[in-house]
Structures are given as C-alpha cells and as structure tokens.
Amino acid sequence: ALVGGETAELPGFYKPGEYDLAGFCVGIAERRKMIDPSRGRAGDVVLGLESTGLHSNGYSLARRALGATTRKALARRAPELGCTLGEALLEPTAIYVKPLLALAAKFDVKGMAHITGGGLPGNLPRVFPDGLGARIDGASWKRPAIFDVIADGGPVDEGEMRRVFNLGVGMVAVVAPAAADGALARLRAAGEAPFVLARHGPPPRRRPRPAGWMPGRRPAVTLPTVTLVDAGYPGGARVRSRAVPAPRGRAGCPPGR
C-alpha cells in the first residue's frame, strides 16, 4: 500500500519510458502525545516559519512561466534574485523537524501544517477546529523574490500563485496566546525566523466575509487583499482575493517530509 502520498505529476519532465522512485517514512506516536487541532480555541495564535523557496512544488508551472526549459535559460541571471534562475529554483527545501521537536518539547502545540502543494488555502485549514478559521496578516512575512519573478514571467494569476506555491510560508504551528511569545523565542533559538501569521477566530455572522477570512472544514478560503499588497507585491498593484476550495486533508498532518 502507498501510505506516504509521495506521488507527483511532472508534465514536461519525464521522457517516454522514464520513471522515478520516491521514498517516504511512516512514524508512530502515543495517542496521548498526538497533536490534535480539534483542541484549538478562538484567539489561538498561528505561527509561521519562512520557506526557502519553492520547496519542491510547482516546478511545472515555474518552468513554463519562466521559459526555463534549457540550460541556457536556467543560467540566466535575474537581478532581483541575485543569482541565476537555476540556482533560485534549486534552493534546498527547509526541513523543520528539529525546530518543531524543540517547540513541542516545551509548549503545547495544538496544530501543525506543512505548506506544500496547495499553498496556504489548501493546507492551513488542516489546523482549524470545527467552527473556527483564521485571519491572515499578509504583512507579517516577506514574499521571496522568486515568486514575483514567476508571477511576472507568465504572467501567472495571483489566485493560481496562491494555490500552487507556499509564497514564503513553509510551515505553521498553533499555540495558545499565553505561549506565543515563548514559542517564538524557542523557534528563534532553534535557528528559525518565526512570525505571527494569523489567529483563530469565529466566523462572522453576516456576509460578505471580511477580506482575509479563512473558514475551516473544506469551505471556500480566501487570503487578505489589502494587507498582502504590503507584503512585497510588484508595483504595489491591488490584488483581488479569490475563493478557492480547500482540498481534503487529515487534521494534524505531521510536519516535515
């Protein structure tokens, strides 16, 4: 049985007759030690950890948007990146296991989600308990330049960018408000640059929902409009928020790869 989920579609990469082998590991844990997002409460703090780049997701779209299908194209230097396209695309994926183990050893972590394919709209709902969502502070992290280069190169619609890429947020962890400062300090001591990404809160009673509201349990989810413009969007152009169905995912998905 394939229980690791390591099956990928890579159009334009494999030649006829070629295939790839991918490995994965499966862990076990005592039930009493398992991280359970259902324990979340309104006001809980969603901490974000920075990504280093694409994190092994979205390369088919990136290659097409950038026209990076030859060695010559990949060797082109992009001033905004300070390196070649190939070097930026091959930036190693950040592994968060050790910092998160250090965090969980001292604090009660209520939820974790690895922000991979599907971006924040597809992965953040994994940490939402029933009846709660989260409002994202789009100015709390800096969007890596490689994502703006991809968006401009296509051009790629902002909604598609959010659905495919992590856009600078590689991992999230949820803690109680009283533990937030200590958790941030713990993660910094472990070599990370954490930030407060969002807070749990009840959904608004009336529509339209405020910009930035991300309800849980497979709803339509949105990211902020105004605040995200302040997070490094090219030219300060106004970005329209689009509703995106959140794919199904098991709550409490374990961190790391």
Side-chain angles (χ1 to χ4, degrees), residues 188-227:
R188 292 190 189 103
E192 295 295 327
F195 50 91
V196 175
L197 174 71
R199 295 179 183 273
H200 279 338
R205 295 182 179 180
R206 297 181 180 180
R207 293 187 177 183
R209 290 169 174 157
W213 180 254
M214 297 185 67
R217 301 299 179 187
R218 196 175 173 75
V221 295
T222 61
L223 297 181
T225 297
V226 177
T227 52

PDB file of all heavy atoms in Angstrom, residues 188-227:
ATOM      1  N   ARG A 188      13.207  30.851  17.473  1.00  0.00           N
ATOM      2  CA  ARG A 188      14.367  31.670  17.109  1.00  0.00           C
ATOM      3  C   ARG A 188      15.650  31.020  17.627  1.00  0.00           C
ATOM      4  O   ARG A 188      16.670  31.000  16.928  1.00  0.00           O
ATOM      5  CB  ARG A 188      14.220  33.075  17.669  1.00  0.00           C
ATOM      6  CG  ARG A 188      13.103  33.892  17.025  1.00  0.00           C
ATOM      7  CD  ARG A 188      13.165  35.349  17.456  1.00  0.00           C
ATOM      8  NE  ARG A 188      11.981  36.073  17.011  1.00  0.00           N
ATOM      9  CZ  ARG A 188      10.969  36.401  17.810  1.00  0.00           C
ATOM     10  NH1 ARG A 188      11.016  36.097  19.113  1.00  0.00           N
ATOM     11  NH2 ARG A 188       9.911  37.046  17.345  1.00  0.00           N
ATOM     12  N   ALA A 189      15.600  30.505  18.833  1.00  0.00           N
ATOM     13  CA  ALA A 189      16.775  29.846  19.407  1.00  0.00           C
ATOM     14  C   ALA A 189      17.167  28.612  18.612  1.00  0.00           C
ATOM     15  O   ALA A 189      18.327  28.199  18.602  1.00  0.00           O
ATOM     16  CB  ALA A 189      16.502  29.465  20.861  1.00  0.00           C
ATOM     17  N   ALA A 190      16.177  28.024  17.902  1.00  0.00           N
ATOM     18  CA  ALA A 190      16.436  26.841  17.075  1.00  0.00           C
ATOM     19  C   ALA A 190      16.888  27.212  15.667  1.00  0.00           C
ATOM     20  O   ALA A 190      17.052  26.334  14.822  1.00  0.00           O
ATOM     21  CB  ALA A 190      15.183  25.967  17.014  1.00  0.00           C
ATOM     22  N   GLY A 191      17.066  28.522  15.422  1.00  0.00           N
ATOM     23  CA  GLY A 191      17.581  28.965  14.131  1.00  0.00           C
ATOM     24  C   GLY A 191      16.543  29.392  13.121  1.00  0.00           C
ATOM     25  O   GLY A 191      16.880  29.688  11.972  1.00  0.00           O
ATOM     26  N   GLU A 192      15.275  29.458  13.522  1.00  0.00           N
ATOM     27  CA  GLU A 192      14.219  29.881  12.611  1.00  0.00           C
ATOM     28  C   GLU A 192      13.941  31.380  12.759  1.00  0.00           C
ATOM     29  O   GLU A 192      14.414  32.027  13.685  1.00  0.00           O
ATOM     30  CB  GLU A 192      12.935  29.083  12.878  1.00  0.00           C
ATOM     31  CG  GLU A 192      13.042  27.604  12.586  1.00  0.00           C
ATOM     32  CD  GLU A 192      13.269  27.310  11.114  1.00  0.00           C
ATOM     33  OE1 GLU A 192      12.766  28.068  10.270  1.00  0.00           O
ATOM     34  OE2 GLU A 192      13.954  26.314  10.803  1.00  0.00           O
ATOM     35  N   ALA A 193      13.168  31.902  11.804  1.00  0.00           N
ATOM     36  CA  ALA A 193      12.726  33.300  11.864  1.00  0.00           C
ATOM     37  C   ALA A 193      11.197  33.294  11.873  1.00  0.00           C
ATOM     38  O   ALA A 193      10.548  33.610  10.869  1.00  0.00           O
ATOM     39  CB  ALA A 193      13.268  34.091  10.675  1.00  0.00           C
ATOM     40  N   PRO A 194      10.583  32.933  13.004  1.00  0.00           N
ATOM     41  CA  PRO A 194       9.124  32.774  13.061  1.00  0.00           C
ATOM     42  C   PRO A 194       8.399  34.112  13.103  1.00  0.00           C
ATOM     43  O   PRO A 194       8.987  35.155  13.403  1.00  0.00           O
ATOM     44  CB  PRO A 194       8.927  32.003  14.363  1.00  0.00           C
ATOM     45  CG  PRO A 194      10.043  32.494  15.229  1.00  0.00           C
ATOM     46  CD  PRO A 194      11.225  32.671  14.301  1.00  0.00           C
ATOM     47  N   PHE A 195       7.118  34.076  12.836  1.00  0.00           N
ATOM     48  CA  PHE A 195       6.290  35.277  12.863  1.00  0.00           C
ATOM     49  C   PHE A 195       4.856  34.867  13.152  1.00  0.00           C
ATOM     50  O   PHE A 195       4.477  33.697  12.990  1.00  0.00           O
ATOM     51  CB  PHE A 195       6.371  36.027  11.529  1.00  0.00           C
ATOM     52  CG  PHE A 195       6.132  35.155  10.330  1.00  0.00           C
ATOM     53  CD1 PHE A 195       4.854  34.990   9.810  1.00  0.00           C
ATOM     54  CD2 PHE A 195       7.190  34.487   9.719  1.00  0.00           C
ATOM     55  CE1 PHE A 195       4.630  34.173   8.708  1.00  0.00           C
ATOM     56  CE2 PHE A 195       6.984  33.667   8.614  1.00  0.00           C
ATOM     57  CZ  PHE A 195       5.704  33.513   8.109  1.00  0.00           C
ATOM     58  N   VAL A 196       4.061  35.817  13.613  1.00  0.00           N
ATOM     59  CA  VAL A 196       2.638  35.562  13.854  1.00  0.00           C
ATOM     60  C   VAL A 196       1.910  35.713  12.530  1.00  0.00           C
ATOM     61  O   VAL A 196       1.774  36.813  12.003  1.00  0.00           O
ATOM     62  CB  VAL A 196       2.068  36.521  14.911  1.00  0.00           C
ATOM     63  CG1 VAL A 196       0.563  36.308  15.058  1.00  0.00           C
ATOM     64  CG2 VAL A 196       2.764  36.314  16.249  1.00  0.00           C
ATOM     65  N   LEU A 197       1.447  34.596  12.003  1.00  0.00           N
ATOM     66  CA  LEU A 197       0.773  34.581  10.705  1.00  0.00           C
ATOM     67  C   LEU A 197      -0.707  34.917  10.817  1.00  0.00           C
ATOM     68  O   LEU A 197      -1.261  35.644   9.992  1.00  0.00           O
ATOM     69  CB  LEU A 197       0.934  33.200  10.063  1.00  0.00           C
ATOM     70  CG  LEU A 197       0.179  32.958   8.760  1.00  0.00           C
ATOM     71  CD1 LEU A 197       0.815  33.752   7.624  1.00  0.00           C
ATOM     72  CD2 LEU A 197       0.149  31.478   8.423  1.00  0.00           C
ATOM     73  N   ALA A 198      -1.363  34.373  11.844  1.00  0.00           N
ATOM     74  CA  ALA A 198      -2.815  34.529  11.948  1.00  0.00           C
ATOM     75  C   ALA A 198      -3.264  34.186  13.362  1.00  0.00           C
ATOM     76  O   ALA A 198      -2.466  33.757  14.202  1.00  0.00           O
ATOM     77  CB  ALA A 198      -3.518  33.618  10.935  1.00  0.00           C
ATOM     78  N   ARG A 199      -4.549  34.379  13.616  1.00  0.00           N
ATOM     79  CA  ARG A 199      -5.169  33.979  14.873  1.00  0.00           C
ATOM     80  C   ARG A 199      -6.496  33.288  14.580  1.00  0.00           C
ATOM     81  O   ARG A 199      -7.220  33.673  13.658  1.00  0.00           O
ATOM     82  CB  ARG A 199      -5.412  35.189  15.783  1.00  0.00           C
ATOM     83  CG  ARG A 199      -4.129  35.866  16.263  1.00  0.00           C
ATOM     84  CD  ARG A 199      -4.429  37.058  17.141  1.00  0.00           C
ATOM     85  NE  ARG A 199      -3.210  37.749  17.536  1.00  0.00           N
ATOM     86  CZ  ARG A 199      -2.481  37.434  18.604  1.00  0.00           C
ATOM     87  NH1 ARG A 199      -2.883  36.454  19.388  1.00  0.00           N
ATOM     88  NH2 ARG A 199      -1.387  38.095  18.889  1.00  0.00           N
ATOM     89  N   HIS A 200      -6.802  32.277  15.388  1.00  0.00           N
ATOM     90  CA  HIS A 200      -8.096  31.617  15.269  1.00  0.00           C
ATOM     91  C   HIS A 200      -9.198  32.567  15.720  1.00  0.00           C
ATOM     92  O   HIS A 200      -9.020  33.353  16.657  1.00  0.00           O
ATOM     93  CB  HIS A 200      -8.147  30.371  16.157  1.00  0.00           C
ATOM     94  CG  HIS A 200      -7.484  29.176  15.553  1.00  0.00           C
ATOM     95  ND1 HIS A 200      -7.269  29.026  14.204  1.00  0.00           N
ATOM     96  CD2 HIS A 200      -6.997  28.041  16.138  1.00  0.00           C
ATOM     97  CE1 HIS A 200      -6.679  27.866  13.977  1.00  0.00           C
ATOM     98  NE2 HIS A 200      -6.484  27.257  15.129  1.00  0.00           N
ATOM     99  N   GLY A 201     -10.319  32.466  15.063  1.00  0.00           N
ATOM    100  CA  GLY A 201     -11.450  33.280  15.455  1.00  0.00           C
ATOM    101  C   GLY A 201     -12.736  32.702  14.907  1.00  0.00           C
ATOM    102  O   GLY A 201     -12.713  31.905  13.963  1.00  0.00           O
ATOM    103  N   PRO A 202     -13.872  33.077  15.484  1.00  0.00           N
ATOM    104  CA  PRO A 202     -15.158  32.577  14.985  1.00  0.00           C
ATOM    105  C   PRO A 202     -15.495  33.223  13.651  1.00  0.00           C
ATOM    106  O   PRO A 202     -15.079  34.348  13.369  1.00  0.00           O
ATOM    107  CB  PRO A 202     -16.141  33.008  16.072  1.00  0.00           C
ATOM    108  CG  PRO A 202     -15.507  34.237  16.663  1.00  0.00           C
ATOM    109  CD  PRO A 202     -14.029  33.982  16.634  1.00  0.00           C
ATOM    110  N   PRO A 203     -16.235  32.520  12.806  1.00  0.00           N
ATOM    111  CA  PRO A 203     -16.624  33.117  11.530  1.00  0.00           C
ATOM    112  C   PRO A 203     -17.611  34.255  11.738  1.00  0.00           C
ATOM    113  O   PRO A 203     -18.386  34.248  12.706  1.00  0.00           O
ATOM    114  CB  PRO A 203     -17.278  31.950  10.783  1.00  0.00           C
ATOM    115  CG  PRO A 203     -17.762  31.052  11.870  1.00  0.00           C
ATOM    116  CD  PRO A 203     -16.770  31.172  12.987  1.00  0.00           C
ATOM    117  N   PRO A 204     -17.597  35.267  10.882  1.00  0.00           N
ATOM    118  CA  PRO A 204     -18.564  36.367  11.005  1.00  0.00           C
ATOM    119  C   PRO A 204     -19.970  35.861  10.738  1.00  0.00           C
ATOM    120  O   PRO A 204     -20.174  34.921   9.985  1.00  0.00           O
ATOM    121  CB  PRO A 204     -18.102  37.352   9.920  1.00  0.00           C
ATOM    122  CG  PRO A 204     -17.347  36.514   8.959  1.00  0.00           C
ATOM    123  CD  PRO A 204     -16.698  35.440   9.747  1.00  0.00           C
ATOM    124  N   ARG A 205     -20.943  36.496  11.362  1.00  0.00           N
ATOM    125  CA  ARG A 205     -22.327  36.042  11.230  1.00  0.00           C
ATOM    126  C   ARG A 205     -22.968  36.520   9.939  1.00  0.00           C
ATOM    127  O   ARG A 205     -23.939  35.936   9.472  1.00  0.00           O
ATOM    128  CB  ARG A 205     -23.146  36.536  12.423  1.00  0.00           C
ATOM    129  CG  ARG A 205     -22.688  35.933  13.756  1.00  0.00           C
ATOM    130  CD  ARG A 205     -23.560  36.418  14.892  1.00  0.00           C
ATOM    131  NE  ARG A 205     -23.154  35.825  16.164  1.00  0.00           N
ATOM    132  CZ  ARG A 205     -23.757  36.077  17.318  1.00  0.00           C
ATOM    133  NH1 ARG A 205     -24.798  36.923  17.352  1.00  0.00           N
ATOM    134  NH2 ARG A 205     -23.325  35.506  18.424  1.00  0.00           N
ATOM    135  N   ARG A 206     -22.469  37.585   9.402  1.00  0.00           N
ATOM    136  CA  ARG A 206     -23.086  38.144   8.205  1.00  0.00           C
ATOM    137  C   ARG A 206     -22.133  38.111   7.035  1.00  0.00           C
ATOM    138  O   ARG A 206     -20.939  38.197   7.195  1.00  0.00           O
ATOM    139  CB  ARG A 206     -23.521  39.595   8.454  1.00  0.00           C
ATOM    140  CG  ARG A 206     -24.583  39.738   9.529  1.00  0.00           C
ATOM    141  CD  ARG A 206     -24.965  41.203   9.694  1.00  0.00           C
ATOM    142  NE  ARG A 206     -25.985  41.377  10.721  1.00  0.00           N
ATOM    143  CZ  ARG A 206     -26.491  42.553  11.056  1.00  0.00           C
ATOM    144  NH1 ARG A 206     -26.073  43.662  10.453  1.00  0.00           N
ATOM    145  NH2 ARG A 206     -27.415  42.634  11.993  1.00  0.00           N
ATOM    146  N   ARG A 207     -22.654  37.986   5.868  1.00  0.00           N
ATOM    147  CA  ARG A 207     -21.855  38.072   4.651  1.00  0.00           C
ATOM    148  C   ARG A 207     -21.961  39.495   4.110  1.00  0.00           C
ATOM    149  O   ARG A 207     -22.943  40.186   4.357  1.00  0.00           O
ATOM    150  CB  ARG A 207     -22.371  37.076   3.615  1.00  0.00           C
ATOM    151  CG  ARG A 207     -22.143  35.630   4.051  1.00  0.00           C
ATOM    152  CD  ARG A 207     -22.504  34.687   2.929  1.00  0.00           C
ATOM    153  NE  ARG A 207     -22.224  33.311   3.307  1.00  0.00           N
ATOM    154  CZ  ARG A 207     -22.392  32.282   2.497  1.00  0.00           C
ATOM    155  NH1 ARG A 207     -22.826  32.477   1.268  1.00  0.00           N
ATOM    156  NH2 ARG A 207     -22.115  31.061   2.905  1.00  0.00           N
ATOM    157  N   PRO A 208     -20.975  39.979   3.343  1.00  0.00           N
ATOM    158  CA  PRO A 208     -19.788  39.238   2.914  1.00  0.00           C
ATOM    159  C   PRO A 208     -18.773  39.084   4.030  1.00  0.00           C
ATOM    160  O   PRO A 208     -18.685  39.914   4.918  1.00  0.00           O
ATOM    161  CB  PRO A 208     -19.231  40.103   1.789  1.00  0.00           C
ATOM    162  CG  PRO A 208     -19.640  41.480   2.157  1.00  0.00           C
ATOM    163  CD  PRO A 208     -21.008  41.342   2.796  1.00  0.00           C
ATOM    164  N   ARG A 209     -18.007  38.025   3.986  1.00  0.00           N
ATOM    165  CA  ARG A 209     -16.970  37.814   4.973  1.00  0.00           C
ATOM    166  C   ARG A 209     -15.849  38.819   4.777  1.00  0.00           C
ATOM    167  O   ARG A 209     -15.518  39.166   3.651  1.00  0.00           O
ATOM    168  CB  ARG A 209     -16.431  36.398   4.864  1.00  0.00           C
ATOM    169  CG  ARG A 209     -17.437  35.353   5.321  1.00  0.00           C
ATOM    170  CD  ARG A 209     -16.961  33.983   4.957  1.00  0.00           C
ATOM    171  NE  ARG A 209     -17.852  32.973   5.523  1.00  0.00           N
ATOM    172  CZ  ARG A 209     -17.965  31.757   5.058  1.00  0.00           C
ATOM    173  NH1 ARG A 209     -17.260  31.388   4.009  1.00  0.00           N
ATOM    174  NH2 ARG A 209     -18.781  30.890   5.620  1.00  0.00           N
ATOM    175  N   PRO A 210     -15.232  39.253   5.862  1.00  0.00           N
ATOM    176  CA  PRO A 210     -14.128  40.213   5.738  1.00  0.00           C
ATOM    177  C   PRO A 210     -12.969  39.622   4.942  1.00  0.00           C
ATOM    178  O   PRO A 210     -12.740  38.416   4.965  1.00  0.00           O
ATOM    179  CB  PRO A 210     -13.710  40.456   7.201  1.00  0.00           C
ATOM    180  CG  PRO A 210     -14.885  40.043   8.009  1.00  0.00           C
ATOM    181  CD  PRO A 210     -15.550  38.941   7.252  1.00  0.00           C
ATOM    182  N   ALA A 211     -12.253  40.486   4.232  1.00  0.00           N
ATOM    183  CA  ALA A 211     -11.089  40.030   3.478  1.00  0.00           C
ATOM    184  C   ALA A 211     -10.098  39.376   4.423  1.00  0.00           C
ATOM    185  O   ALA A 211      -9.801  39.897   5.483  1.00  0.00           O
ATOM    186  CB  ALA A 211     -10.419  41.197   2.749  1.00  0.00           C
ATOM    187  N   GLY A 212      -9.607  38.217   4.030  1.00  0.00           N
ATOM    188  CA  GLY A 212      -8.628  37.541   4.849  1.00  0.00           C
ATOM    189  C   GLY A 212      -9.191  36.379   5.645  1.00  0.00           C
ATOM    190  O   GLY A 212      -8.456  35.593   6.204  1.00  0.00           O
ATOM    191  N   TRP A 213     -10.550  36.248   5.666  1.00  0.00           N
ATOM    192  CA  TRP A 213     -11.129  35.185   6.464  1.00  0.00           C
ATOM    193  C   TRP A 213     -10.933  33.847   5.767  1.00  0.00           C
ATOM    194  O   TRP A 213     -11.162  33.695   4.583  1.00  0.00           O
ATOM    195  CB  TRP A 213     -12.614  35.434   6.679  1.00  0.00           C
ATOM    196  CG  TRP A 213     -13.222  34.340   7.491  1.00  0.00           C
ATOM    197  CD1 TRP A 213     -14.031  33.345   7.065  1.00  0.00           C
ATOM    198  CD2 TRP A 213     -13.008  34.111   8.882  1.00  0.00           C
ATOM    199  NE1 TRP A 213     -14.352  32.515   8.091  1.00  0.00           N
ATOM    200  CE2 TRP A 213     -13.736  32.953   9.226  1.00  0.00           C
ATOM    201  CE3 TRP A 213     -12.279  34.766   9.857  1.00  0.00           C
ATOM    202  CZ2 TRP A 213     -13.748  32.447  10.519  1.00  0.00           C
ATOM    203  CZ3 TRP A 213     -12.294  34.259  11.136  1.00  0.00           C
ATOM    204  CH2 TRP A 213     -13.025  33.126  11.460  1.00  0.00           C
ATOM    205  N   MET A 214     -10.450  32.848   6.545  1.00  0.00           N
ATOM    206  CA  MET A 214     -10.254  31.506   6.007  1.00  0.00           C
ATOM    207  C   MET A 214     -11.005  30.514   6.876  1.00  0.00           C
ATOM    208  O   MET A 214     -10.501  30.035   7.886  1.00  0.00           O
ATOM    209  CB  MET A 214      -8.765  31.138   5.969  1.00  0.00           C
ATOM    210  CG  MET A 214      -7.948  32.019   5.060  1.00  0.00           C
ATOM    211  SD  MET A 214      -6.234  31.479   4.939  1.00  0.00           S
ATOM    212  CE  MET A 214      -6.449  29.919   4.083  1.00  0.00           C
ATOM    213  N   PRO A 215     -12.265  30.185   6.545  1.00  0.00           N
ATOM    214  CA  PRO A 215     -13.032  29.256   7.367  1.00  0.00           C
ATOM    215  C   PRO A 215     -12.523  27.830   7.220  1.00  0.00           C
ATOM    216  O   PRO A 215     -11.896  27.486   6.240  1.00  0.00           O
ATOM    217  CB  PRO A 215     -14.455  29.395   6.808  1.00  0.00           C
ATOM    218  CG  PRO A 215     -14.259  29.853   5.415  1.00  0.00           C
ATOM    219  CD  PRO A 215     -13.015  30.691   5.404  1.00  0.00           C
ATOM    220  N   GLY A 216     -12.800  27.002   8.202  1.00  0.00           N
ATOM    221  CA  GLY A 216     -12.286  25.633   8.189  1.00  0.00           C
ATOM    222  C   GLY A 216     -13.250  24.638   7.590  1.00  0.00           C
ATOM    223  O   GLY A 216     -14.336  24.968   7.113  1.00  0.00           O
ATOM    224  N   ARG A 217     -12.825  23.368   7.597  1.00  0.00           N
ATOM    225  CA  ARG A 217     -13.642  22.247   7.166  1.00  0.00           C
ATOM    226  C   ARG A 217     -14.111  22.345   5.729  1.00  0.00           C
ATOM    227  O   ARG A 217     -15.288  22.415   5.440  1.00  0.00           O
ATOM    228  CB  ARG A 217     -14.839  22.062   8.105  1.00  0.00           C
ATOM    229  CG  ARG A 217     -14.425  21.822   9.548  1.00  0.00           C
ATOM    230  CD  ARG A 217     -13.586  20.564   9.675  1.00  0.00           C
ATOM    231  NE  ARG A 217     -13.169  20.364  11.060  1.00  0.00           N
ATOM    232  CZ  ARG A 217     -12.334  19.442  11.440  1.00  0.00           C
ATOM    233  NH1 ARG A 217     -11.789  18.643  10.550  1.00  0.00           N
ATOM    234  NH2 ARG A 217     -12.000  19.324  12.697  1.00  0.00           N
ATOM    235  N   ARG A 218     -13.198  22.373   4.816  1.00  0.00           N
ATOM    236  CA  ARG A 218     -13.436  22.380   3.383  1.00  0.00           C
ATOM    237  C   ARG A 218     -14.433  23.447   2.943  1.00  0.00           C
ATOM    238  O   ARG A 218     -15.432  23.177   2.296  1.00  0.00           O
ATOM    239  CB  ARG A 218     -13.915  21.012   2.912  1.00  0.00           C
ATOM    240  CG  ARG A 218     -13.788  20.865   1.404  1.00  0.00           C
ATOM    241  CD  ARG A 218     -14.146  19.469   0.966  1.00  0.00           C
ATOM    242  NE  ARG A 218     -14.186  19.346  -0.463  1.00  0.00           N
ATOM    243  CZ  ARG A 218     -13.138  19.289  -1.256  1.00  0.00           C
ATOM    244  NH1 ARG A 218     -11.945  19.338  -0.741  1.00  0.00           N
ATOM    245  NH2 ARG A 218     -13.266  19.176  -2.566  1.00  0.00           N
ATOM    246  N   PRO A 219     -14.191  24.703   3.285  1.00  0.00           N
ATOM    247  CA  PRO A 219     -15.011  25.786   2.789  1.00  0.00           C
ATOM    248  C   PRO A 219     -14.323  26.418   1.598  1.00  0.00           C
ATOM    249  O   PRO A 219     -13.307  25.929   1.133  1.00  0.00           O
ATOM    250  CB  PRO A 219     -14.996  26.760   3.962  1.00  0.00           C
ATOM    251  CG  PRO A 219     -13.607  26.582   4.474  1.00  0.00           C
ATOM    252  CD  PRO A 219     -13.177  25.154   4.194  1.00  0.00           C
ATOM    253  N   ALA A 220     -14.866  27.556   1.149  1.00  0.00           N
ATOM    254  CA  ALA A 220     -14.096  28.393   0.235  1.00  0.00           C
ATOM    255  C   ALA A 220     -13.202  29.258   1.099  1.00  0.00           C
ATOM    256  O   ALA A 220     -13.644  29.814   2.096  1.00  0.00           O
ATOM    257  CB  ALA A 220     -15.025  29.266  -0.596  1.00  0.00           C
ATOM    258  N   VAL A 221     -11.918  29.351   0.789  1.00  0.00           N
ATOM    259  CA  VAL A 221     -10.997  30.099   1.626  1.00  0.00           C
ATOM    260  C   VAL A 221     -10.391  31.244   0.841  1.00  0.00           C
ATOM    261  O   VAL A 221     -10.200  31.160  -0.360  1.00  0.00           O
ATOM    262  CB  VAL A 221      -9.868  29.187   2.162  1.00  0.00           C
ATOM    263  CG1 VAL A 221     -10.442  28.137   3.082  1.00  0.00           C
ATOM    264  CG2 VAL A 221      -9.104  28.533   1.040  1.00  0.00           C
ATOM    265  N   THR A 222     -10.091  32.331   1.529  1.00  0.00           N
ATOM    266  CA  THR A 222      -9.520  33.486   0.867  1.00  0.00           C
ATOM    267  C   THR A 222      -8.347  34.018   1.660  1.00  0.00           C
ATOM    268  O   THR A 222      -8.209  33.770   2.844  1.00  0.00           O
ATOM    269  CB  THR A 222     -10.567  34.619   0.719  1.00  0.00           C
ATOM    270  OG1 THR A 222     -10.993  35.008   2.016  1.00  0.00           O
ATOM    271  CG2 THR A 222     -11.753  34.163  -0.097  1.00  0.00           C
ATOM    272  N   LEU A 223      -7.480  34.747   0.975  1.00  0.00           N
ATOM    273  CA  LEU A 223      -6.359  35.415   1.617  1.00  0.00           C
ATOM    274  C   LEU A 223      -6.615  36.920   1.599  1.00  0.00           C
ATOM    275  O   LEU A 223      -7.434  37.403   0.837  1.00  0.00           O
ATOM    276  CB  LEU A 223      -5.063  35.096   0.864  1.00  0.00           C
ATOM    277  CG  LEU A 223      -4.660  33.623   0.861  1.00  0.00           C
ATOM    278  CD1 LEU A 223      -3.357  33.448   0.097  1.00  0.00           C
ATOM    279  CD2 LEU A 223      -4.504  33.104   2.271  1.00  0.00           C
ATOM    280  N   PRO A 224      -5.922  37.677   2.442  1.00  0.00           N
ATOM    281  CA  PRO A 224      -6.190  39.100   2.521  1.00  0.00           C
ATOM    282  C   PRO A 224      -5.904  39.826   1.218  1.00  0.00           C
ATOM    283  O   PRO A 224      -5.100  39.394   0.416  1.00  0.00           O
ATOM    284  CB  PRO A 224      -5.245  39.594   3.611  1.00  0.00           C
ATOM    285  CG  PRO A 224      -4.597  38.415   4.184  1.00  0.00           C
ATOM    286  CD  PRO A 224      -4.883  37.241   3.330  1.00  0.00           C
ATOM    287  N   THR A 225      -6.592  40.911   1.020  1.00  0.00           N
ATOM    288  CA  THR A 225      -6.395  41.699  -0.187  1.00  0.00           C
ATOM    289  C   THR A 225      -5.461  42.864   0.087  1.00  0.00           C
ATOM    290  O   THR A 225      -4.399  42.966  -0.491  1.00  0.00           O
ATOM    291  CB  THR A 225      -7.750  42.225  -0.707  1.00  0.00           C
ATOM    292  OG1 THR A 225      -8.554  41.105  -1.047  1.00  0.00           O
ATOM    293  CG2 THR A 225      -7.546  43.083  -1.931  1.00  0.00           C
ATOM    294  N   VAL A 226      -5.837  43.744   1.007  1.00  0.00           N
ATOM    295  CA  VAL A 226      -5.063  44.954   1.237  1.00  0.00           C
ATOM    296  C   VAL A 226      -3.730  44.649   1.903  1.00  0.00           C
ATOM    297  O   VAL A 226      -2.690  45.119   1.456  1.00  0.00           O
ATOM    298  CB  VAL A 226      -5.868  45.960   2.087  1.00  0.00           C
ATOM    299  CG1 VAL A 226      -5.023  47.187   2.373  1.00  0.00           C
ATOM    300  CG2 VAL A 226      -7.140  46.349   1.359  1.00  0.00           C
ATOM    301  N   THR A 227      -3.740  43.839   2.966  1.00  0.00           N
ATOM    302  CA  THR A 227      -2.506  43.597   3.692  1.00  0.00           C
ATOM    303  C   THR A 227      -1.481  42.843   2.855  1.00  0.00           C
ATOM    304  O   THR A 227      -0.295  43.066   2.979  1.00  0.00           O
ATOM    305  CB  THR A 227      -2.784  42.807   4.984  1.00  0.00           C
ATOM    306  OG1 THR A 227      -3.545  41.630   4.668  1.00  0.00           O
ATOM    307  CG2 THR A 227      -3.544  43.646   5.964  1.00  0.00           C
TER     308      THR A 227
END
